[in-house]
Amino acid sequence: MTGIITSGEKRLVVVSGRAHPQLAQDVAIELGTQVLSSTAYDFSNGETYVRFNESVRGCDVFVVQSHGDRVNDWLMEQLIMVDALKRASAKRITVVAPFYPYSRQDKKHLGREPISARLVADLYKTAGADRLMCVDLHTSQIQGFFDGPLDHLFAIPVLAEYIKSRVENPENVTVVSPDTGRVRVAEHWATLLGGAPLAFVHKTRDINVPNQAVSKTLVGEIEGRSCVLIDDMIDAGGTIAGAVNVLKEKGAKEVIIAATHPVFSGPAVERLSGCGASEVV
Ligand code: R5P
């Protein structure tokens, strides 16, 4: 049977949504299997249809989906996949969502706002997910939104290893958070980079205008230093490009950007190419 490893009682199956099938294929190759064959299409009104072309009864299924662009479509497709697997008697269903959808909306800033990241966790649970697997969540507390195990994997050590090989003088590196929300993560980075000093940029947003951040002041010493500017995601690039501007104005020698989830929507590429950073990792 394609896509299924049989070893004793364990039967592992990898299935993929349509957002980025290459990722699931690469994962399946690492596991020595193939992605299970499925049929998926959209009706003309936008509804999604999914069917798995082989039995999944009793299987341990990993549902791989990416949520970079068209997040609502891909989230809905993944929920429908989970529902189909549940109704087909899969034994255990793990949602693999490297970039957790709606992770930025993890708290209320104002009255009458939603906590959409919590809603997403509830949707996964209701659809039938037993377990979630994600990479570099926007904030760690999202782990507690899902009523079940959530494997929070970290890409930061991989990025940090690259940065170490890239900078000429590790003594001259400062880790910079582009906003106050990422200072904890910046501390983790600083440890991985051998105790590098920290700085952060103070950023404000107009809550009525999406994807427009204004980076204002800098806290920390960066003059003449190599700055590693870190973030969990780069969406339209406003936050990170604004922070690079501030760092350059304050006399940074160079700025290397490192982020886990490169969404690169709208003007992101233009902003990143013109912001003066020496590299985007
Ligand atoms: C904000 O809290 C996030 O960590 C990112 O800094 C932000 O969402 C990136 O969005 P954009 O690239 O559109 O500024």
Side-chain angles (χ1 to χ4, degrees), residues 167-189:
V167 291
E168 281 164 20
N169 180 6
E171 304 287 299
N172 197 38
V173 169
T174 296
V175 177
V176 184
S177 168
D179 54 38
T180 48
R182 211 124 298 276
V183 173
R184 271 269 166 93
V185 178
E187 280 172 359
H188 182 43
W189 264 94

Side-chain angles (χ1 to χ4, degrees), residues 104 138 179 182 203 205 211 231-233 235-239:
R104 277 181 288 200
H138 181 63
D179 54 38
R182 211 124 298 276
K203 175 180 93 173
R205 278 186 189 282
N211 291 116
D231 213 344
D232 60 324
M233 70 178 85
D235 185 359
T239 299

Side-chain angles (χ1 to χ4, degrees), residues 42-108:
D42 298 322
F43 292 99
S44 68
N45 71 348
E47 288 175 5
T48 297
Y49 172 87
V50 175
R51 178 172 183 263
F52 297 102
N53 298 330
E54 291 179 31
S55 170
V56 290
R57 185 175 296 274
C59 293
D60 189 4
V61 189
F62 291 77
V63 187
V64 183
Q65 181 73 301
S66 298
H67 302 90
D69 63 349
R70 293 178 55 195
V71 57
N72 295 329
D73 289 343
W74 302 137
L75 172 61
M76 192 65 200
E77 183 180 78
Q78 197 174 28
L79 292 167
I80 287 172
M81 291 166 79
V82 171
D83 184 77
L85 292 164
K86 175 181 71 180
R87 293 175 196 286
S89 305
K91 186 174 169 203
R92 187 178 73 156
I93 302 167
T94 300
V95 159
V96 182
F99 181 37
Y100 185 97
Y102 286 85
S103 62
R104 277 181 288 200
Q105 297 184 43
D106 61 346
K107 62 176 94 60
K108 287 173 72 165

Side-chain angles (χ1 to χ4, degrees), residues 182-253:
R182 211 124 298 276
V183 173
R184 271 269 166 93
V185 178
E187 280 172 359
H188 182 43
W189 264 94
T191 308
L192 291 173
L193 294 179
L198 290 181
F200 68 88
V201 177
H202 176 239
K203 175 180 93 173
T204 54
R205 278 186 189 282
D206 177 346
I207 52 143
N208 296 312
V209 187
N211 291 116
Q212 253 186 49
V214 182
S215 301
K216 288 182 169 168
T217 46
L218 176 83
V219 179
E221 291 297 321
I222 57 95
E223 195 172 347
R225 297 184 64 83
S226 296
C227 294
V228 179
L229 178 61
I230 56 115
D231 213 344
D232 60 324
M233 70 178 85
I234 300 175
D235 185 359
T239 299
I240 218 85
V244 175
N245 283 339
V246 172
L247 294 173
K248 287 282 182 180
E249 274 170 22
K250 300 285 180 191
K253 183 177 158 227

Side-chain angles (χ1 to χ4, degrees), residues 30-50:
E30 286 288 326
L31 293 169
T33 185
Q34 291 169 11
V35 176
L36 191 86
S37 163
S38 60
T39 303
Y41 54 78
D42 298 322
F43 292 99
S44 68
N45 71 348
E47 288 175 5
T48 297
Y49 172 87
V50 175

